[in-house]
Amino acid sequence: DAKTTQPPSMDCAEGRAANLPCNHSTISGNEYVYWYRQIHSQGPQYIIHGLKNNETNEMASLIITEDRKSSTLILPHATLRDTAVYYCIVSRVGSGNTGKLIFGQGTTLQVKP
Amino acid sequence: GAVVSQHPSWVICKSGTSVKIECRSLDFQATTMFWYRQFPKQSLMLMATSNEGSKATYEQGVEKDKFLINHASLTLSTLTVTSAHPEDSSFYICSALTGYNSPLHFGNGTRLTVT
């Protein structure tokens, strides 16, 4: 699975949009981009995933560049409860494949009042 | 949404004893589950892939005789830490595939402390 690069930490003001970047320049054609987050002492929570089109759900939006080498997770109105470690993972899980998810170090997002 | 349940949520055991952790898929069948371990201030590390009805596949460096995995049914996988030692103290998390083209969902983890 392709490797991802994320900034180690970011701050965001409460109520503002949080934009979390991820580079995955070696992504291959059948690999999805997944985003999970982990709040302290809990299991990771699935947020969103996509292949090449932008995706939106009730939690977030995922913007994938046309060349698929990078993506941005957008939390439109961050709250204090969104403070967590956010992981961007590239994987073939979802391609009809029981592939595994390999976690990097993620981005620690601190939402401040 | 899909729910993965782990039990217990925390356990304290004495050095040399064995501990079993259960991972259940509550509203779906999971042919494949994954076990992770997470040390403080570190990321999740994949330990093994658990396949229903067959032997687990372990990641490099993970001792299969120490971390016994059994996936006897489509809704239950267990991880047994045998002869636990203090260095096995960690946060153990399982996950399961909810469908053929669906994402992994994770349990809430089990905090193991070996004294």
Side-chain angles (χ1 to χ4, degrees), chain A residues 1-4 24-33 50-52 64 67-69 90-93 95:
Chain A
D1 292 337
K3 192 174 178 182
T4 62
H24 31 79
S25 58
T26 60
I27 191 170
S28 60
N30 62 352
E31 289 182 314
Y32 284 74
V33 180
L51 185 62
K52 53 184 177 181
I64 302 174
D67 62 8
R68 302 210 320 129
K69 291 186 177 182
V90 170
S91 175
R92 289 178 298 153
V93 173
S95 317

Side-chain angles (χ1 to χ4, degrees), chain B residues 12-33:
Chain B
I12 301 172
C13 72
K14 292 190 175 180
S15 187
T17 61
S18 295
V19 173
K20 181 185 284 188
I21 301 169
E22 294 185 348
C23 178
R24 294 182 184 274
S25 57
L26 294 188
D27 51 0
F28 64 96
Q29 294 183 327
T31 55
T32 303
M33 292 183 175

Side-chain angles (χ1 to χ4, degrees), chain A residues 25-103:
Chain A
S25 58
T26 60
I27 191 170
S28 60
N30 62 352
E31 289 182 314
Y32 284 74
V33 180
Y34 281 87
W35 284 85
Y36 284 80
R37 71 181 182 185
Q38 187 178 27
I39 296 168
H40 184 62
S41 295
Q42 296 183 24
Q45 178 189 22
Y46 166 77
I47 301 173
I48 199 167
H49 75 287
L51 185 62
K52 53 184 177 181
N53 297 322
N54 297 337
E55 302 287 344
T56 296
N57 62 21
E58 64 279 3
M59 289 183 69
S61 295
L62 173 61
I63 308 298
I64 302 174
T65 57
E66 195 169 339
D67 62 8
R68 302 210 320 129
K69 291 186 177 182
S70 65
S71 61
T72 301
L73 178 74
I74 302 172
L75 307 179
H77 305 286
T79 71
L80 298 178
R81 288 178 295 179
D82 291 323
T83 293
V85 180
Y86 286 76
Y87 296 100
C88 168
I89 305 166
V90 170
S91 175
R92 289 178 298 153
V93 173
S95 317
N97 188 298
T98 56
K100 48 203 176 186
L101 293 181
I102 304 299
F103 285 75

Side-chain angles (χ1 to χ4, degrees), chain A residues 34 36 38 41-44 46 49 87 93-105, chain B residues 32 34 36 38 42-44 46 49 59 91 93 97 100-108 111:
Chain A
Y34 281 87
Y36 284 80
Q38 187 178 27
S41 295
Q42 296 183 24
Y46 166 77
H49 75 287
Y87 296 100
V93 173
S95 317
N97 188 298
T98 56
K100 48 203 176 186
L101 293 181
I102 304 299
F103 285 75
Q105 295 306 306
Chain B
T32 303
F34 300 89
Y36 291 79
Q38 185 175 32
Q42 293 186 23
S43 187
L44 285 78
L46 179 66
T49 302
E59 295 298 304
F91 192 49
I93 310 166
L97 272 174
Y100 194 59
N101 281 319
S102 300
L104 286 179
H105 285 268
F106 287 78
N108 260 335
R111 176 79 55 194

Side-chain angles (χ1 to χ4, degrees), chain A residues 92 98-102, chain B residues 31-37 45-71 77-79 93 95:
Chain A
R92 289 178 298 153
T98 56
K100 48 203 176 186
L101 293 181
I102 304 299
Chain B
T31 55
T32 303
M33 292 183 175
F34 300 89
W35 286 96
Y36 291 79
R37 178 167 57 179
M45 185 192 80
L46 179 66
M47 298 175 68
T49 302
S50 170
N51 299 298
E52 187 267 336
S54 64
K55 290 184 179 179
T57 303
Y58 291 82
E59 295 298 304
Q60 191 172 7
V62 177
E63 300 174 56
K64 62 180 181 180
D65 295 328
K66 181 167 185 62
F67 299 101
L68 301 180
I69 291 172
N70 184 283
H71 194 155
S77 175
T78 60
L79 169 68
I93 310 166
S95 67

Side-chain angles (χ1 to χ4, degrees), chain B residues 66-89:
Chain B
K66 181 167 185 62
F67 299 101
L68 301 180
I69 291 172
N70 184 283
H71 194 155
S73 79
L74 287 172
T75 59
L76 174 64
S77 175
T78 60
L79 169 68
T80 301
V81 183
T82 62
S83 186
H85 291 284
E87 56 266 30
D88 298 323
S89 297

Side-chain angles (χ1 to χ4, degrees), chain A residues 10-13 16-20 72-78 109 111:
Chain A
M10 292 182 65
D11 289 343
C12 176
R16 295 294 191 102
N19 297 291
L20 292 89
T72 301
L73 178 74
I74 302 172
L75 307 179
H77 305 286
L109 175 68
V111 180

